[in-house]
PDB file of all heavy atoms in Angstrom:
ATOM      1  N   LYS A   3       8.906   7.590  16.906  1.00 94.00           N
ATOM      2  CA  LYS A   3       8.578   6.389  16.154  1.00 94.00           C
ATOM      3  C   LYS A   3       9.124   6.454  14.723  1.00 94.00           C
ATOM      4  O   LYS A   3       9.318   7.528  14.155  1.00 94.00           O
ATOM      5  CB  LYS A   3       7.064   6.220  16.074  1.00 94.00           C
ATOM      6  CG  LYS A   3       6.346   6.181  17.420  1.00 94.00           C
ATOM      7  CD  LYS A   3       6.522   4.859  18.105  1.00 94.00           C
ATOM      8  CE  LYS A   3       5.639   4.781  19.351  1.00 94.00           C
ATOM      9  NZ  LYS A   3       5.839   3.529  20.100  1.00 94.00           N
ATOM     10  N   ASN A  15      -2.049   6.903  -5.132  1.00 92.00           N
ATOM     11  CA  ASN A  15      -3.255   6.111  -5.357  1.00 92.00           C
ATOM     12  C   ASN A  15      -3.135   5.338  -6.662  1.00 92.00           C
ATOM     13  O   ASN A  15      -3.214   5.914  -7.749  1.00 92.00           O
ATOM     14  CB  ASN A  15      -4.491   7.006  -5.381  1.00 92.00           C
ATOM     15  CG  ASN A  15      -5.771   6.200  -5.223  1.00 92.00           C
ATOM     16  OD1 ASN A  15      -5.857   5.061  -5.666  1.00 92.00           O
ATOM     17  ND2 ASN A  15      -6.768   6.787  -4.583  1.00 92.00           N
ATOM     18  N   GLY A  32      -9.800 -14.359 -20.056  1.00 93.00           N
ATOM     19  CA  GLY A  32     -11.197 -14.748 -19.943  1.00 93.00           C
ATOM     20  C   GLY A  32     -11.811 -14.532 -18.573  1.00 93.00           C
ATOM     21  O   GLY A  32     -12.881 -15.078 -18.281  1.00 93.00           O
ATOM     22  N   LEU A 134       2.520  -9.585  -2.657  1.00 69.00           N
ATOM     23  CA  LEU A 134       1.663 -10.368  -1.764  1.00 69.00           C
ATOM     24  C   LEU A 134       2.398 -10.884  -0.528  1.00 69.00           C
ATOM     25  O   LEU A 134       1.896 -11.754   0.172  1.00 69.00           O
ATOM     26  CB  LEU A 134       1.056 -11.555  -2.539  1.00 69.00           C
ATOM     27  CG  LEU A 134       0.266 -11.178  -3.801  1.00 69.00           C
ATOM     28  CD1 LEU A 134      -0.178 -12.426  -4.539  1.00 69.00           C
ATOM     29  CD2 LEU A 134      -0.928 -10.304  -3.451  1.00 69.00           C
ATOM     30  N   ILE A 140       7.512  -6.782   6.190  1.00 96.00           N
ATOM     31  CA  ILE A 140       7.627  -6.016   7.439  1.00 96.00           C
ATOM     32  C   ILE A 140       8.667  -6.642   8.347  1.00 96.00           C
ATOM     33  O   ILE A 140       9.514  -5.948   8.928  1.00 96.00           O
ATOM     34  CB  ILE A 140       6.265  -5.935   8.161  1.00 96.00           C
ATOM     35  CG1 ILE A 140       5.281  -5.101   7.337  1.00 96.00           C
ATOM     36  CG2 ILE A 140       6.433  -5.323   9.548  1.00 96.00           C
ATOM     37  CD1 ILE A 140       3.865  -5.095   7.888  1.00 96.00           C
ATOM     38  N   TYR A 147      16.953  -3.140   9.521  1.00 96.00           N
ATOM     39  CA  TYR A 147      17.341  -1.884  10.170  1.00 96.00           C
ATOM     40  C   TYR A 147      17.427  -2.008  11.692  1.00 96.00           C
ATOM     41  O   TYR A 147      17.592  -0.999  12.378  1.00 96.00           O
ATOM     42  CB  TYR A 147      16.367  -0.775   9.776  1.00 96.00           C
ATOM     43  CG  TYR A 147      16.436  -0.430   8.305  1.00 96.00           C
ATOM     44  CD1 TYR A 147      15.413  -0.801   7.435  1.00 96.00           C
ATOM     45  CD2 TYR A 147      17.535   0.242   7.773  1.00 96.00           C
ATOM     46  CE1 TYR A 147      15.480  -0.494   6.083  1.00 96.00           C
ATOM     47  CE2 TYR A 147      17.617   0.546   6.424  1.00 96.00           C
ATOM     48  CZ  TYR A 147      16.590   0.168   5.579  1.00 96.00           C
ATOM     49  OH  TYR A 147      16.664   0.472   4.236  1.00 96.00           O
ATOM     50  N   ALA A 167       0.697  -6.059   9.687  1.00 97.00           N
ATOM     51  CA  ALA A 167       1.217  -5.217  10.766  1.00 97.00           C
ATOM     52  C   ALA A 167       0.945  -5.855  12.124  1.00 97.00           C
ATOM     53  O   ALA A 167       1.831  -5.899  12.994  1.00 97.00           O
ATOM     54  CB  ALA A 167       0.589  -3.828  10.693  1.00 97.00           C
ATOM     55  N   ASN A 170       3.125  -8.746  13.016  1.00 97.00           N
ATOM     56  CA  ASN A 170       4.468  -8.333  13.430  1.00 97.00           C
ATOM     57  C   ASN A 170       4.468  -7.467  14.677  1.00 97.00           C
ATOM     58  O   ASN A 170       5.513  -6.953  15.079  1.00 97.00           O
ATOM     59  CB  ASN A 170       5.148  -7.590  12.280  1.00 97.00           C
ATOM     60  CG  ASN A 170       5.666  -8.513  11.194  1.00 97.00           C
ATOM     61  OD1 ASN A 170       6.730  -9.102  11.323  1.00 97.00           O
ATOM     62  ND2 ASN A 170       4.888  -8.668  10.130  1.00 97.00           N
ATOM     63  N   GLY A 180      -7.334   3.865  -0.427  1.00 94.00           N
ATOM     64  CA  GLY A 180      -6.874   2.758  -1.262  1.00 94.00           C
ATOM     65  C   GLY A 180      -8.035   1.983  -1.845  1.00 94.00           C
ATOM     66  O   GLY A 180      -9.141   2.503  -1.965  1.00 94.00           O
ATOM     67  N   ILE A 209       0.057   8.678  20.718  1.00 87.00           N
ATOM     68  CA  ILE A 209       0.545   7.352  21.107  1.00 87.00           C
ATOM     69  C   ILE A 209       1.967   7.449  21.676  1.00 87.00           C
ATOM     70  O   ILE A 209       2.643   8.438  21.529  1.00 87.00           O
ATOM     71  CB  ILE A 209       0.527   6.370  19.915  1.00 87.00           C
ATOM     72  CG1 ILE A 209       1.442   6.835  18.765  1.00 87.00           C
ATOM     73  CG2 ILE A 209      -0.890   6.173  19.423  1.00 87.00           C
ATOM     74  CD1 ILE A 209       1.535   5.824  17.634  1.00 87.00           C
TER      75      ILE A 209
END
Side-chain angles (χ1 to χ4, degrees):
K3 304 284 188 183
N15 196 328
L134 304 175
I140 293 173
Y147 294 107
N170 283 280
I209 61 175

